[in-house]
Amino acid sequence: PELTSLYKEAEIIVVNDGSEDNTLDVCNNFNVKVITHPYSKGNGAAIKSGARAATGDSLVFMDADGQHTPADIKILQEEFEKGYDMVVASRSFNANASMLRGVANAFYNKFASWITEHKIHDLTSGFRIVDATKFREFLFLLPNGFSYPTSITMAFFRSGYSVQYTPLNVKLREGNSHIKPVKDGLRFFLIIFKVGAFYSPLKVFFPFSMAFFVTGIVYYIYTYLSYARFTNMSMLLFITSALVFLIGLIAEQITTLLYSKSIK
């Protein structure tokens, strides 16, 4: 109701991702466009469906969990009109649903900031405004499930597009979260490395390569001083170090090709 009241001229799209509640009944009472998936495909798939259907020059994404205030879209739009390609609403640490998620998001932000060499205030925020043409360049990169905000943010930084973060207050989400601490905690951990390896593979592979190399050097010094010989273990560590580095180098080339494809 608030969206349709504040933005009467806007194209409002609701993606109904196979929900079994009264989403369609609510939407029928308002002048919005509804896209319905026959079954739940995931948050990322819903975002991609909405982006393909939208006709505007800019896209605003907002989760339907009641955390964000529709009036804040104007704040994002004002920043966007200053020349940015994407403006993201950043939440405070205390705004997270739990201490565990707060710590996880803080770690996400630090890791992504190190990878991109840009300060990232809220890597997983789903409330943002973005240039529609530039966003569609990366649809093929976005996962169907968790976490499209992470992927699109890293893609924009990788391509040299301008990204701005704007602090906004959020409310407590409505309904229950689908996140399971243990199962999704492991998944988030894997996504961190997946995103890092996809954005800048050598930044992830090189530290591991150096760790194997340094361990090989230390072990060789130890065996040389103790037994005056070069052992098979030292050789294995040196070979592993070289292989990890070469894999990272190949991954870097593949990543470059993928990004060059997206901007053709």
Side-chain angles (χ1 to χ4, degrees), residues 11 13-15 33 35 37 44-55 59 61 135-136:
E11 177 186 39
I13 300 174
V14 177
V15 182
K33 181 177 182 179
I35 300 171
H37 292 168
I47 288 294
K48 287 188 276 190
S49 293
R52 291 189 183 105
T55 59
L59 307 173
F61 297 103
F135 183 87
R136 292 191 184 100

Side-chain angles (χ1 to χ4, degrees), residues 33 44 70 74 87 131 181 203:
K33 181 177 182 179
K74 294 180 180 179
V87 178
D131 181 281
K203 268 212 165 184

Side-chain angles (χ1 to χ4, degrees), residues 6 23 50 53 75 119 132 137 232 259:
L6 290 173
T23 295
I75 298 175
K119 178 66 175 177
E137 290 176 8
N232 291 337
Y259 277 97

Side-chain angles (χ1 to χ4, degrees), residues 80-123:
F80 182 73
E81 290 173 353
K82 293 179 181 178
Y84 293 103
D85 299 306
M86 179 164 64
V87 178
V88 185
S90 62
R91 301 159 294 181
S92 66
F93 179 88
N94 296 329
N96 292 283
S98 67
M99 179 63 70
L100 180 62
R101 289 190 66 177
V103 172
N105 284 338
F107 180 69
Y108 258 132
N109 297 338
K110 291 290 185 182
F111 179 80
S113 297
W114 173 70
I115 289 288
T116 61
E117 298 181 350
H118 291 276
K119 178 66 175 177
I120 293 180
H121 299 275
D122 193 343
L123 186 64

Side-chain angles (χ1 to χ4, degrees), residues 156-200:
F156 265 54
F157 277 122
R158 168 84 183 196
S159 298
Y161 291 144
S162 302
V163 180
Q164 169 72 335
Y165 282 90
T166 299
L168 290 176
N169 294 322
V170 298
K171 297 175 287 187
L172 291 176
R173 63 171 292 133
E174 297 174 10
N176 298 319
S177 173
H178 296 289
I179 293 179
K180 301 176 179 61
V182 177
K183 178 182 177 182
D184 290 317
L186 292 174
R187 187 174 63 170
F188 295 163
F189 184 75
L190 291 176
I191 287 174
I192 288 174
F193 287 98
K194 176 183 175 183
V195 169
F198 187 76
Y199 180 87
S200 183

